[in-house]
Amino acid sequence: QVHLVESGGGLVQAGGSLRLSCAVSGSIFGINSMGWYRQAPGKQREVVAGITSGGSTNYADFVKGRFTISRDNPKNTVYLQMNSLKPEDTGVYYCNAGKFIGIAVVNYWGQGTQVTVSS
């Protein structure tokens, strides 16, 4: 089992910054990728950014140039630095871990952290 705990959300004005953290614990061997997703009220959950075990990163177009995903392997923590925040970035942000179990990939989720950007 993999446990993910997000922190760092809050209320910020448009143009401001927040840094989200995701602490990973449990059976972390075999985790291939980590990512951040978000879900706004009334909308589906969408991917924001991802990072592989090798350090390769990918971003949704709507956050490119503003958000940065990183990982601190000794601390088993993944971060999402969010700059130039916009009201449309408001939502619950979830940390995700993808782990190989046999030939399948099992996804684990944190409980989410609320980000609210005021205009």
Side-chain angles (χ1 to χ4, degrees), residues 1-55:
Q1 190 76 351
V2 176
H3 301 283
L4 308 174
V5 178
E6 303 98 332
S7 61
L11 173 64
V12 64
Q13 288 188 331
S17 298
L18 284 173
R19 188 176 81 154
L20 305 183
S21 299
C22 174
V24 187
S25 63
S27 182
I28 63 174
F29 179 79
I31 291 178
N32 179 58
S33 63
M34 299 287 300
W36 287 95
Y37 289 68
R38 71 185 186 189
Q39 187 166 18
K43 294 187 177 182
Q44 289 188 330
R45 191 174 297 188
E46 60 185 358
V47 63
V48 174
I51 185 167
T52 68
S53 56

Side-chain angles (χ1 to χ4, degrees), residues 85-118:
L85 283 162
K86 305 175 182 179
E88 51 264 44
D89 293 320
T90 293
V92 179
Y93 283 69
Y94 297 92
C95 181
N96 168 271
K99 178 176 177 177
F100 282 113
I101 298 180
I103 61 171
V105 176
V106 177
N107 283 294
Y108 296 89
W109 297 92
Q111 81 288 349
T113 185
Q114 177 70 45
V115 171
T116 303
V117 184
S118 63

Side-chain angles (χ1 to χ4, degrees), residues 73-95:
N73 289 333
K75 293 184 178 180
N76 291 329
T77 302
V78 176
Y79 303 98
L80 185 67
Q81 177 66 44
M82 306 186 294
N83 299 327
S84 302
L85 283 162
K86 305 175 182 179
E88 51 264 44
D89 293 320
T90 293
V92 179
Y93 283 69
Y94 297 92
C95 181

Side-chain angles (χ1 to χ4, degrees), residues 60-77:
D61 286 343
F62 51 78
V63 302
K64 282 182 179 177
R66 300 189 298 125
F67 291 11
T68 302
I69 188 170
S70 62
R71 62 195 298 166
D72 185 331
N73 289 333
K75 293 184 178 180
N76 291 329
T77 302

